[in-house]
Amino acid sequence: MLRRWGSLAVGGAATAGSAALAGCAGRDGDETTGADGDRGAPDPPLIAHRGFAAENPENTVAAVEAAAATTDRIELDVRRCGTGELVAFHDATLGRVTDATGRVSETPYERLAALSVEGSGEPVPTLADALDAAPADAWVMLDLKERGVAADAVAAGADRDHGVAVAADDPAVIEAAAAAAPAVPTVYGVRESVPARALRPLVPGPVGGASPPQWAYPPQDVAGMIETATDLGCAAVSPRYELCLGTDLVPRARDAGLRVLPWTVASVREYEAVAAAGVDAVVSDVSRGRRET
């Protein structure tokens, strides 16, 4: 049975968004809404990106189990394999995290189950197996990587007691998820413009709460991002974390009633920078023993 977290009405993000993802506070009680009603407290909770991908073989049962020892907020990627099962896997192809080649969409699950993710001995799991590895009180964000999986993904979440949200960077996927399960909150994933992505590796990362240098961060269509998320009825926006530092995305999202869940943080200084920006939770590759880089 799908657990309901706060207000799950998604017809208008401005009125429901601030409460729709209340479940990301989790068992620790470190919700980022303060006693005065302001969001973005100094210590936003972590969401385990692919099960803390820098520490565990990503998107595997072992990663979910390991992440659950630290947090009850877990993010998993979702694709459909060649025999129709939904699997927890990020890339469209197999080569980055396994020693196999080919497309996930063309590979039967029997073969995926025989592969080793990042040499760990852990197979590519079905989404069902990955969800079964999460504690019953977990909150799971399903990042849908392709069209045609939304209805089955939310159905898999509904079969369990987890709190569930659906994330995607494709508006059509979010629309499909909302149509399949209007009560499940949705999260719009956004990233910088192509020029900003190209310049990012050439400049240093954030220090403290500093923003990227202006010369290295071309203007971004933040208003368009927020408008799209609002029009889709999303409860939250999940931006590449630099957008929280180099633009006014966070206050704009707050004004629109949207929570902000930036990705993907991998160090203390990145975490501290987005925390200072006032975000609601942090999608992180590393656990509370955050590594300095």
Side-chain angles (χ1 to χ4, degrees), residues 44-265:
L46 296 180
I47 300 171
H49 183 239
R50 307 178 199 169
F52 293 132
E55 301 172 357
N56 307 303
E58 65 178 58
N59 283 312
T60 62
V61 166
V64 173
E65 292 174 341
T70 300
T71 184
D72 59 351
R73 311 162 196 90
I74 298 167
E75 185 259 8
L76 294 168
D77 299 305
V78 182
R79 290 188 176 275
R80 194 182 299 280
C81 72
T83 45
E85 295 91 342
L86 294 186
V87 294
F89 204 85
H90 178 271
D91 298 1
T93 57
L94 297 168
R96 180 178 63 85
V97 298
T98 78
D99 59 4
T101 59
R103 299 187 66 81
V104 175
S105 62
E106 298 171 355
T107 305
Y109 184 69
E110 183 179 9
R111 183 182 178 213
L112 295 178
L115 298 178
S116 173
V117 175
E118 298 177 345
S120 65
E122 286 289 312
V124 176
T126 63
L127 176 62
D129 285 344
L131 288 173
D132 286 343
D137 64 346
W139 180 88
V140 182
M141 184 163 69
L142 301 177
D143 189 353
L144 309 186
K145 310 309 292 186
E146 60 185 355
R147 297 183 181 185
V149 301
D152 288 345
V154 295
D159 286 341
R160 292 160 177 83
D161 288 333
H162 307 125
V164 176
V166 170
D169 59 9
D170 181 348
V173 173
I174 292 177
E175 290 173 343
V184 174
T186 53
V187 180
Y188 182 43
V190 296
R191 62 175 69 229
E192 320 104 309
S193 64
V194 172
R197 275 177 263 169
L199 285 168
R200 188 200 308 147
L202 305 179
V203 298
V207 177
S211 301
Q214 283 299 113
W215 63 266
Y217 212 74
Q220 306 296 305
D221 184 18
V222 172
M225 297 171 190
I226 299 302
E227 181 180 4
T228 298
T230 302
D231 289 347
L232 289 168
C234 292
V237 62
S238 185
R240 171 79 190 188
Y241 77 82
E242 285 91 348
L243 284 167
C244 298
L245 308 180
T247 75
D248 60 350
L249 183 145
V250 174
R252 281 181 179 267
R254 182 173 293 113
D255 289 345
L258 296 166
R259 294 194 174 222
V260 182
L261 317 176
W263 57 272
T264 302
V265 163

